[in-house]
Amino acid sequence: MNLKAFLVPVVTLFLLNGCEPSEAPASQSDNTFQTILTDSTLNQWSGKEGYWTFENGVLTGETTPNTILIENTFFIWDGDTGHDFELKADFRISERGNSGINYYSKPVKAKEFMLSGYQADLDGSHNYTGNVYEERGRATLANRGEIVNISEGNFSEVLAKTGTQESLFSKIDTTENGWNKYHIIARGNSIIHLVNGQIMTILLNDDGAKSTTNKLGFQLHLGPPMKVEFRNIRLKKL
């Protein structure tokens, strides 16, 4: 089957109809998302002491001039997303902040609270919000606005566009205290990133590889003082 010939018109149809690819008939009972970070499940998570707090349903990662990081650190779930899943989370980040939601990830050997793997990128200036990134790997795999296919030999090709940079940027709340909604869909060999209901990026792994590590974590980035917040973290295994 010619993946490119099949995918582009299907994705285009979703875009033209303003429909999220994850939508399913209301009668299906598996549409329930489970909140995975609450006061009662906080013991299933771990992170670097002094950098993370969870209060009133909000996970906060923060660095100050006295607690600057020299390496990225993560707040990591002990659970397993499975290979096929959807994840939703609200986020808010300071202007100079850099962060991300890691999935299909694994712990880095000899490093505490550090992950390598795929990431839903986000930053305070929103230059990268929506991108598919690979932490401690190949870096940016798909920029906002791109539908990318990675074939055998790690050959990357942009198949189509999800929209212009201007139109997609306009969907992001850039106000100082604004919250945005991330939605990650990982199914089969495809990854879809949505922000506030808008498809930002689609990645197709057509190289025959399949992730066998399914750790989930939230990133606090090295660099200048910053703050990032997450809430309503919900998972649906497919």
Side-chain angles (χ1 to χ4, degrees):
M1 180 179 186
N2 188 320
L3 179 64
K4 289 184 282 187
F6 168 77
L7 174 78
V8 174
V10 170
V11 171
T12 302
L13 180 62
F14 281 128
L15 294 172
L16 291 176
N17 288 336
C19 175
E20 293 186 11
S22 62
E23 287 184 1
S27 60
Q28 292 192 5
S29 60
D30 67 348
N31 278 357
T32 303
F33 281 80
Q34 181 180 13
T35 301
I36 57 174
L37 178 56
T38 64
D39 289 334
S40 62
T41 62
L42 185 59
N43 60 355
Q44 300 173 12
W45 296 77
S46 58
K48 193 175 181 69
E49 187 176 355
Y51 289 87
W52 298 96
T53 58
F54 182 70
E55 296 179 356
N56 300 318
V58 178
L59 172 67
T60 302
E62 187 171 13
T63 58
T64 69
N66 295 324
T67 60
I68 294 296
L69 289 167
I70 59 172
E71 292 183 308
N72 299 340
T73 191
F74 291 82
F75 195 71
I76 302 170
W77 186 39
D78 290 342
D80 189 304
T81 62
H83 186 268
D84 293 352
F85 68 91
E86 295 188 35
L87 183 82
K88 293 183 177 182
D90 302 344
F91 69 93
R92 181 166 64 181
I93 188 167
S94 60
E95 184 178 2
R96 300 181 69 190
N98 190 340
S99 183
I101 304 171
N102 262 55
Y103 56 95
Y104 286 168
S105 292
K106 62 182 179 182
V108 177
K109 291 183 180 179
K111 296 285 187 179
E112 193 175 26
F113 307 123
M114 192 173 294
L115 294 174
S116 64
Y118 285 74
Q119 182 182 107
D121 212 346
L122 63 102
D123 66 299
S125 60
H126 299 296
N127 290 323
Y128 309 112
T129 300
N131 288 2
V132 181
Y133 187 82
E134 189 176 35
E135 177 80 3
R136 289 181 166 259
R138 294 166 290 179
T140 301
L141 300 177
N143 289 299
R144 186 170 62 221
E146 294 181 340
I147 302 172
V148 174
N149 182 64
I150 299 178
S151 57
E152 190 173 353
N154 201 33
F155 176 74
S156 178
E157 180 182 7
V158 178
L159 304 180
K161 296 286 187 177
T162 64
T164 65
Q165 283 292 325
E166 293 78 10
S167 65
L168 297 177
F169 185 84
S170 71
K171 303 297 183 181
I172 302 171
D173 188 340
T174 59
T175 59
E176 183 177 357
N177 294 311
W179 286 91
N180 288 284
K181 298 179 182 295
Y182 232 128
H183 184 181
I184 301 164
I185 305 169
R187 180 182 296 162
N189 72 331
S190 65
I191 293 169
I192 303 172
H193 287 178
L194 302 94
V195 176
N196 299 329
Q198 172 66 50
I199 297 175
M200 295 289 179
T201 314
I202 298 175
L203 178 69
L204 300 166
N205 284 312
D206 197 28
D207 59 0
K210 183 176 180 179
S211 172
T212 57
T213 55
N214 302 312
K215 282 298 181 184
L216 173 70
F218 295 86
Q219 184 192 66
L220 188 60
H221 207 280
L222 62 84
M226 60 157 288
K227 180 179 180 179
V228 63
E229 298 167 280
F230 299 95
R231 68 183 185 187
N232 299 326
I233 302 167
R234 293 160 290 156
L235 175 70
K236 177 171 70 173
K237 294 185 178 182
L238 303 177

